[in-house]
Amino acid sequence: PQSSPYMLASGSLVRLSSCAVVTVLRAELLPGGSVILADPHGAGNLRVRPNGAIDTQGGRGGWARFWVDREPDGDENSIRLLNVGHHEQRGNDVFLAASIVPADQCSAASAPVPEPPAVLLSDEEKAAFVRDGYLVVRGVVGRELVDAALRAINNQLGQAQCVV
């Protein structure tokens, strides 16, 4: 497999369809036709680890490189990313669904993520966290983001290729 060079240029923004990691990544074409996808707000690249976990802590090796192909049933911006590491080292085809961010949406997609609000925990809340292993802090994450996260999680749970 190889990337189709006309589909994706270095610097293009790519949005993952549903994933728990950063959803907009910046593409860099590599010799040989593969791409790496960098988190524009961090130092790492998207990777699919050997165990199937997805994160943005990758370097430039096979687990962080992808071949790009057009999504057969998608629109002109729909693509799928075939992980090079899984394909070459494990003989498995691990795909991630994504789309190319149109140029007129690039500034909004690459805008910096706002800083989260500062929250000071009381001694009682800290003790409850130590005791229970979790803490509910209401009002820190906006309703819109919570709803979007729940939709993405529920959508992934219903898909056969969901990596948990």
Side-chain angles (χ1 to χ4, degrees), residues 22-45:
V22 173
T23 58
V24 177
L25 303 155
R26 188 167 306 281
E28 178 188 340
L29 269 63
L30 300 174
S34 64
V35 298
I36 58 172
L37 297 162
D39 175 357
H41 307 294
N45 297 316

Side-chain angles (χ1 to χ4, degrees), residues 116-142:
V119 176
L120 298 176
L121 301 178
S122 69
D123 290 338
E124 293 81 21
E125 289 172 317
K126 291 175 189 175
F129 177 72
V130 170
R131 181 187 67 243
D132 302 331
Y134 69 94
L135 182 65
V136 176
V137 182
R138 301 200 185 279
V140 174
V141 179

